[in-house]
């Protein structure tokens, strides 16, 4: 687990942390009430040296006082002083005062500070003063001078203990702070340990990661859906119905090129809600005008007949073992338009029947007659029924229940289906929080509310409406006050209809020009000579056959030289290559053409 998983676990089980926090606060307060209050009082002794008033004597006296004060500190909290104090104050023993009296001395200081602790304010004051008095008496006995000589040092009580104003312990804030801190630590530890041990999937992102498929829909945890297993599609304030409509849309957009029509629904364990998903999704598809059939392929523990009114004596099992026809098992309960094929009688060998060729024929026939074929199968991990049906359909949808499905089970079901090369389309999460689903009540049309009538209103009756009476208006005054009814304005006179323009007169048809008259045939003028004079037809003109001249590459022919220079470039000339015509120039060709024309003229008598 990484830091994200830990934070998600804390966010999921926040109530555990809050509960332990309040438990810690309660424990701290309880500990505060069980502890006896403690009071403290203090007193102070001052050690001075006696001597002359010179400066050197004063300095030496100060040094001596500081040394004696350090030595007397141990005597103040010693056994002798405590024994005398205990005997003076009452039944306490010296051993009871050992931890209650403390004497301290600052280095190189002639002051001895006495602090006592007691469970009573008056006891603490009396104890501090008694310890100071007994200490002075005991020090005087121990450090007494020789007979006839004055004392070197003198001890005096410079501060008398006062009555404490309040207890110094226990401190309520400290106890509550310790209790809250302990509760937080325990709560975080419990949440982490719970997450590690439970291994339950509680978040959509975790389920999608474990299944490695997209989440197509989320079905909220609803009281009505849990009771009847069928959502109310006829009303507009049903969150489950809207969730199944969203699932219908997601299923239609899974694959545009190869949309799934035969879909198998399975889960990792029983109780995840796959049967509820199949029946409600079929109703949502039928609501959209699709022809849909739902098949109950759970031949071990059928449940369709427990949810809707169906015949349970005939069904899919009878079709697979050959004792019934498929057309006889299709039922249409209610007016939803959904076709149902129930499981029928329990079969001793469900896996063999579901994996037979007859099951493939059933799915193929239903695919030809219905747009969608939804199959409800047993859980994939306990039995192998879902694995043998998955090759017969277009895809598989895994149904997982949040907060009850473990991470290991989701990983196992995905791995099992991919082992048999199943096409996993996605997953559907059930028992989700309602906040993750669109609030259908926002779009619902509210029914008109009936106005509430109280008994007092009924007795008094409805108040009379006051209508303002029109006031006489001065001549020429046309504007009325807003408080009075406005006079109805005269009806707006509609403008006369727009006169339609006369129809466009089409111009006369274009007169076609007269047909072209072909000129008369040519008739020769003058006398006719030759064979035509005796009625013979004129000879037919036969043009001579042109000589064959193959064409070769074209190249420019330079002009003849003039004064040693070319006159300029000429257009390309086409040269002919032929052994019979080689050497023939253009003048010879022109001469032949003239001779041929003369022969034609003689033939026509010209």
């Amino acid at each position: 687990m990484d830091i994200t998983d830990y934070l998600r676990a804390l966010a999921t089980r926040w109530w555990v942390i809050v509960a332990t926090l309040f438990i810690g606060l309660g424990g701290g307060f309880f500990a505060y009430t069980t502890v006896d209050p403690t009071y403290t009082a203090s007193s102070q002794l001052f050690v001075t040296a006696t001597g002359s008033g010179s400066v050197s004597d004063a300095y030496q006296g100060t040094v001596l006082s500081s040394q004696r004060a350090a030595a007397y500190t141990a005597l103040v909290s010693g056994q002798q002083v405590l024994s005398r104090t205990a005997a003076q104050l009452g039944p306490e023993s010296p051993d009871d005062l050992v931890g209650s009296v403390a004497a301290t001395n600052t280095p190189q200081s002639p002051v001895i500070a006495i602090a006592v602790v007691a469970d009573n304010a008056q006891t603490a004051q009396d104890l501090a003063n008694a310890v100071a008095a007994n200490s002075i008496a005991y020090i005087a006995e121990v450090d007494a001078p020789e007979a006839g000589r004055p004392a070197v040092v003198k001890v005096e009580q410079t501060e008398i203990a006062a009555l404490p104003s309040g207890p110094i312990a226990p401190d309520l804030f400290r106890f509550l702070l310790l209790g809250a801190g302990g509760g937080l630590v325990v709560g975080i530890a419990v949440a982490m340990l719970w997450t590690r041990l439970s291994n339950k999937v509680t978040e959509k992102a975790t389920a999608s990661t474990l299944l490695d498929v997209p989440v197509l829909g989320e079905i909220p945890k609803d009281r009505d859906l849990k009771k009847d297993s069928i959502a109310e599609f006829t009303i507009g304030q049903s969150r489950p119905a809207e969730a199944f409509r969203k699932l219908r849309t997601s299923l239609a957009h899974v694959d545009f090129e190869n949309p799934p029509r035969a879909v198998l629904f399975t889960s990792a364990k029983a109780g995840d809600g796959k049967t509820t998903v199949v029946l409600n999704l079929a109703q949502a598809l039928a609501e959209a005008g699709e022809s849909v059939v739902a098949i109950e392929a759970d031949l071990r523990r059928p449940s369709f007949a427990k949810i809707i009114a169906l015949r349970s004596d005939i069904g899919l099992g009878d079709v697979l073992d050959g004792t019934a026809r498929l057309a006889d098992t299709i039922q249409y309960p209610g007016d939803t338009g959904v076709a149902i094929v129930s499981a029928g009688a329990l079969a001793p060998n469900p896996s063999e029947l579901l994996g037979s060729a007859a099951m493939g024929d059933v799915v193929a026939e239903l695919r030809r007659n219905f747009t969608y074929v939804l199959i409800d199968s047993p859980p994939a991990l306990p039995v192998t029924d879902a694995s043998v049906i998955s090759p017969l359909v277009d895809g598989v949808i895994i149904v997982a229940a949040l907060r009850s499905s473990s991470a290991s089970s989701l990983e196992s079901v995905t791995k099992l289906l991919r082992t048999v090369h199943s096409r996993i389309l996605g997953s559907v999460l059930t028992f989700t929080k309602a906040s993750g689903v669109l609030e259908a009540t926002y779009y619902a049309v509210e029914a008109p509310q009936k106005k509430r009538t109280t008994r007092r209103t009924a007795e008094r009756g409805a108040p009379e409406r006051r209508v303002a009476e029109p006031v006489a208006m001065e001549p020429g005054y046309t504007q009325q006050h807003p408080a009075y009814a406005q006079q109805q304005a005269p009806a707006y006179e509609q403008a006369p209809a727009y006169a339609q323009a006369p129809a466009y007169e089409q111009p006369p048809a274009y007169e076609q020009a007269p047909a072209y008259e072909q000129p008369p045939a040519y008739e020769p003028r003058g006398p006719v000579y030759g064979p035509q004079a005796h009625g013979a037809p004129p000879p037919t003109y036969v043009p001579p056959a042109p000589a064959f001249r193959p064409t070769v590459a074209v190249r420019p022919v330079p002009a003849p030289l003039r004064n040693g220079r070319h006159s300029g470039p000429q257009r390309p000339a086409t040269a002919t290559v032929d052994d019979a015509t080689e050497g023939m120039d253009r003048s010879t060709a022109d001469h032949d053409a003239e001779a041929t024309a003369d022969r034609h003229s003689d033939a026509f008598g010209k």
Side-chain angles (χ1 to χ4, degrees):
M1 295 178 63
D2 54 4
I3 186 63
T4 307
D5 297 331
Y6 285 111
L7 294 177
R8 187 178 295 112
L10 295 178
T12 303
R13 295 180 171 84
W14 60 269
W15 57 272
V16 176
I17 303 175
V18 173
T20 54
L21 173 62
F22 281 100
I23 291 175
L25 290 174
F29 183 77
F30 178 75
Y32 169 78
T33 58
T34 57
V35 176
D36 295 332
T38 303
Y39 298 87
T40 182
S42 60
S43 181
Q44 184 174 306
L45 302 179
F46 188 78
V47 181
T48 58
T50 60
S52 59
S54 61
V55 177
S56 60
D57 293 342
Y59 174 75
Q60 293 178 359
T62 302
V63 175
L64 179 61
S65 300
S66 302
Q67 295 175 354
R68 293 297 178 89
Y72 295 158
T73 302
L75 299 178
V76 171
S77 58
Q79 188 68 24
Q80 293 295 329
V81 175
L82 297 181
S83 299
R84 295 182 181 185
T85 303
Q88 177 183 355
L89 295 179
E92 289 85 356
S93 63
D95 296 334
D96 296 336
L97 301 177
V98 171
S100 302
V101 178
T104 57
N105 171 252
T106 304
Q108 299 180 359
S109 173
V111 178
I112 301 175
I114 302 174
V116 298
V117 177
D119 55 1
N120 186 275
Q122 188 63 45
T123 303
Q125 180 185 18
D126 297 341
L127 182 59
N129 293 326
V131 168
N134 293 315
S135 298
I136 295 174
Y138 181 67
I139 292 173
E141 295 178 1
V142 172
D143 200 11
E146 296 181 358
R149 300 188 62 181
V152 180
V153 293
K154 182 176 60 174
V155 180
E156 296 178 345
Q157 183 179 1
T158 57
E159 183 178 343
I160 300 175
L163 184 67
S165 59
I168 61 171
D171 188 1
L172 178 59
F173 178 76
R174 179 179 298 178
F175 274 83
L176 293 179
L177 184 61
L178 292 177
L184 285 176
V185 173
V186 173
I188 294 174
V190 170
M192 294 293 102
L193 184 62
W194 194 346
T195 302
R196 297 288 296 181
L197 296 179
S198 64
N199 198 24
K200 300 296 182 181
V201 179
T202 58
E203 297 293 335
K204 172 184 174 181
T206 306
S208 179
T209 302
L210 294 173
L211 294 172
D212 196 18
V213 292
V215 177
L216 301 181
E218 300 179 44
I219 311 303
K221 185 177 181 181
D222 191 84
R223 179 170 49 190
D224 298 334
L225 186 63
K226 182 179 180 181
K227 180 176 62 176
D228 300 331
S229 298
I230 299 296
E232 291 289 345
F233 286 87
T234 58
I235 61 178
Q237 298 182 1
S238 176
R239 293 193 186 99
E242 188 64 28
F244 287 112
R245 293 187 184 102
K246 292 178 62 178
L247 177 59
R248 175 189 65 192
T249 305
S250 300
L251 180 62
H253 294 79
V254 167
D255 191 349
F256 285 102
E257 298 180 356
N258 187 19
R261 299 306 181 194
V263 183
L264 175 69
F265 289 81
T266 186
S267 59
K269 60 180 181 61
D272 286 349
K274 53 182 178 53
T275 302
T276 303
V277 171
V278 170
L279 293 177
N280 285 276
L281 178 59
Q283 190 167 347
L285 291 171
E287 183 187 35
E290 304 287 352
S291 60
V292 56
V293 58
I295 305 176
E296 186 178 19
D298 191 351
L299 305 181
R300 303 173 188 270
R301 297 176 58 185
S303 58
F304 275 20
K306 299 178 182 179
I307 301 175
I308 52 181
L310 292 173
R311 291 180 55 189
S312 59
D313 56 342
I314 186 173
L316 179 63
D318 303 287
V319 177
L320 297 180
D321 60 13
T323 59
R325 298 186 308 155
L326 178 60
D328 298 335
T329 60
I330 299 177
Q331 306 179 49
Y332 289 88
D335 56 351
T336 59
V338 179
I340 302 292
V341 177
S342 62
L346 297 180
N349 53 348
S351 299
E352 288 74 11
L353 292 178
L354 295 174
S356 62
M359 183 63 184
D361 297 339
V362 169
V363 175
E365 183 175 354
L366 293 177
R367 285 171 61 98
R368 289 192 296 269
N369 295 279
F370 294 92
T371 306
Y372 286 95
V373 179
L374 308 182
I375 303 177
D376 177 24
S377 70
L381 293 183
V383 292
T384 186
D385 297 357
S387 300
V388 298
I389 303 176
S390 60
L392 307 176
V393 297
D394 297 334
V396 181
I397 293 180
I398 302 174
V399 181
L402 292 183
R403 288 176 291 278
S404 63
S405 300
S406 62
S408 58
S409 65
L410 296 184
E411 292 178 347
S412 300
V413 69
T414 306
K415 184 177 180 180
L416 176 63
L417 293 175
R418 287 177 176 169
T419 302
V420 296
H421 305 286
S422 301
R423 180 191 177 193
I424 304 178
L425 302 176
S427 63
V428 177
L429 303 181
T430 58
F431 301 102
T432 61
K433 296 181 180 179
S435 58
V437 183
L438 178 65
E439 291 289 346
T441 56
Y442 180 80
Y443 300 96
V445 179
E446 297 183 358
Q449 298 182 359
K450 190 174 182 181
K451 187 174 181 180
R452 183 181 178 184
T453 303
T454 61
R455 185 175 60 181
R456 180 178 300 178
T457 305
E459 293 176 354
R460 292 185 304 178
E464 297 181 357
R465 296 182 58 187
R466 297 183 178 179
V467 181
E469 297 179 356
V471 180
M473 308 298 295
E474 296 180 0
Y477 186 82
T478 58
Q479 184 179 3
Q480 293 184 350
H481 195 273
Y484 304 108
Q486 295 182 357
Q487 297 180 357
Q488 186 176 3
Y492 175 74
E493 298 180 359
Q494 189 174 3
Y498 176 74
Q500 188 175 3
Y504 174 74
E505 297 180 359
Q506 189 174 3
Y510 177 75
E511 297 181 359
Q512 189 175 4
Y516 175 75
E517 297 180 359
Q518 189 174 4
Y522 173 78
E523 296 180 359
R525 298 180 179 181
V528 179
Y529 299 95
Q532 292 82 358
H534 303 282
T540 304
Y541 173 74
V542 179
F548 175 75
R549 298 179 180 180
T551 304
V552 296
V554 178
R555 62 184 178 180
V557 179
L561 295 174
R562 293 181 181 180
N563 299 327
R565 296 182 180 179
H566 291 286
S567 60
Q570 293 184 350
R571 63 179 181 178
T574 302
T576 60
V577 179
D578 188 29
D579 295 339
T581 61
E582 186 176 4
M584 183 183 294
D585 53 4
R586 183 176 300 274
S587 62
T588 304
D590 296 339
H591 177 73
D592 293 340
E594 294 176 358
T596 303
D598 295 338
R599 288 195 302 269
H600 292 169
S601 300
D602 295 339
F604 284 96
K606 293 185 180 180

